[in-house]
Amino acid sequence: MMAGGEFIMYIHPTCATSYSIIKYLYEKDLVGRLRIVNTSNTLHIPEFKIWSVPWIMYRGKPIATDPVDGKEVEVLINGGNIEVKDPIEAFMNTILHSVLASAVSVLHASIEPVVDVDLINAATRGTLQGDDLVGIIEKIRLASDKLYSEWRDKLVRALAVSFVRDAWWGSEGKLDSEQLQSMASGNYISAWLIAKAGIGRVALPDNPLRYDKEAVKIMSKFISSNARGLIRKIEREQEMILSDHEYWEVIKRASKSIQ
């Protein structure tokens, strides 16, 4: 399906999935088979929107994003196909792994705002065309309330991990459980969610006071109850990435910033 070059993978160096894919491709001597773009220093990506990293494109079309692993990327750049048995479940898993899509969904209490062709293409590995793509979009929209209700708790837990990661970065890696539990109370989470779901004010609800307050309560309770474990999870993840000198050399050599 997709042989040869013209592959671009947009990454952020601190993304654990980006990290694992680049390590895999480096070990397989495949890094040179695709262009790696480091998104850490730019918002200027005029051709399209990136919902999540890694964001993999072929000839200008999104074909993969998180959840994705190195083996899948290897198959794609070698011209193979990725079977997607349930496109709707694949789409919901992609929302789950995108902080932006999850935050927008929870803030709007709906997945309707993230029913996007690019995101669906990335979730389904570019396998849907024409009427099949139109049909899946229609099915998702018809089931949007049910899907949000069924997936809300998963989305909230995923957002909780992202909240802790941001708090850990903001504390210069010195976050402790008492600090985190304090941050998980009050309006910190609501403010974080509003900030995370918008680019400026783009994508915020007409009235940002009307968000899924029950979801925020669930998120607050989850963080408070699991503060120590969540901090350890983020510490292990980020310390592994930030201390891997070989990885950073690969990024430095292979990535190209968008000007």
Side-chain angles (χ1 to χ4, degrees), residues 121-133:
N121 274 327
T124 59
R125 306 308 187 241
T127 58
L128 298 175
Q129 306 291 332
D131 291 342
D132 289 337
L133 179 59

Side-chain angles (χ1 to χ4, degrees), residues 14-258:
T14 63
C15 165
T17 304
S18 298
Y19 172 82
S20 66
I21 290 173
I22 288 175
K23 294 283 285 185
Y24 180 92
L25 295 178
Y26 179 72
E27 290 170 3
K28 294 277 187 173
D29 197 25
L30 293 169
V31 172
R33 295 284 301 280
L34 75 174
R35 180 185 168 204
I36 297 172
V37 177
N38 183 347
T39 64
S40 65
N41 64 351
T42 183
L43 282 172
H44 183 59
I45 305 172
E47 304 91 281
F48 50 84
K49 54 188 165 293
I50 292 177
W51 280 94
S52 186
V53 288
W55 186 260
I56 302 166
M57 302 192 70
Y58 176 72
R59 294 183 176 176
K61 178 181 177 180
I63 58 164
T65 189
D66 210 6
V68 63
D69 59 28
K71 181 60 179 177
E72 278 192 284
V73 176
E74 180 183 14
V75 170
L76 290 170
I77 63 179
N78 282 329
N81 295 289
I82 303 296
E83 182 182 4
V84 178
K85 294 180 180 179
D86 187 338
I88 294 177
E89 184 174 2
F91 176 64
M92 293 306 300
N93 266 315
T94 293
I95 294 174
L96 184 68
H97 285 77
S98 165
V99 181
L100 175 59
S102 293
V104 170
S105 296
V106 171
L107 196 66
H108 288 261
S110 172
I111 65 164
E112 182 68 27
V114 302
V115 180
D116 173 81
V117 171
D118 284 346
L119 192 58
I120 292 170
N121 274 327
T124 59
R125 306 308 187 241
T127 58
L128 298 175
Q129 306 291 332
D131 291 342
D132 289 337
L133 179 59
V134 172
I136 287 298
I137 291 172
E138 184 64 20
K139 286 181 180 179
I140 291 170
R141 284 185 169 144
L142 288 173
S144 61
D145 289 344
K146 182 173 182 287
L147 288 169
Y148 178 73
S149 177
E150 290 175 349
W151 284 75
R152 185 182 71 170
D153 285 358
K154 293 179 183 178
L155 297 175
V156 167
R157 288 195 294 273
L159 286 169
V161 175
S162 295
F163 178 89
V164 177
R165 185 182 294 109
D166 285 355
W168 189 83
W169 281 332
S171 72
E172 299 181 337
K174 300 172 184 175
L175 184 67
D176 62 42
S177 56
E178 288 186 7
Q179 289 175 313
L180 181 57
Q181 286 168 334
S182 176
M183 293 172 69
S185 62
N187 296 322
Y188 283 108
I189 289 177
S190 302
W192 176 87
L193 185 64
I194 290 168
K196 213 69 176 176
I199 301 174
R201 299 192 193 196
V202 176
L204 295 185
D206 291 344
N207 183 350
L209 295 174
R210 296 175 183 169
Y211 54 85
D212 189 342
K213 294 178 174 60
E214 183 61 29
V216 170
K217 289 179 182 177
I218 295 169
M219 186 170 160
S220 175
K221 183 177 180 180
F222 179 77
I223 293 171
S224 295
S225 300
N226 299 279
R228 188 169 298 173
L230 288 167
I231 292 170
R232 282 201 302 267
K233 173 183 174 67
I234 297 305
E235 284 177 341
R236 287 194 299 267
E237 171 198 275
Q238 290 298 297
E239 288 172 359
M240 174 185 68
I241 294 170
L242 296 174
S243 65
D244 190 332
H245 301 298
E246 180 183 74
Y247 167 71
W248 287 94
E249 280 300 312
V250 173
I251 291 287
K252 183 178 178 180
R253 291 195 303 267
S255 66
K256 297 179 181 179
S257 298
I258 299 173

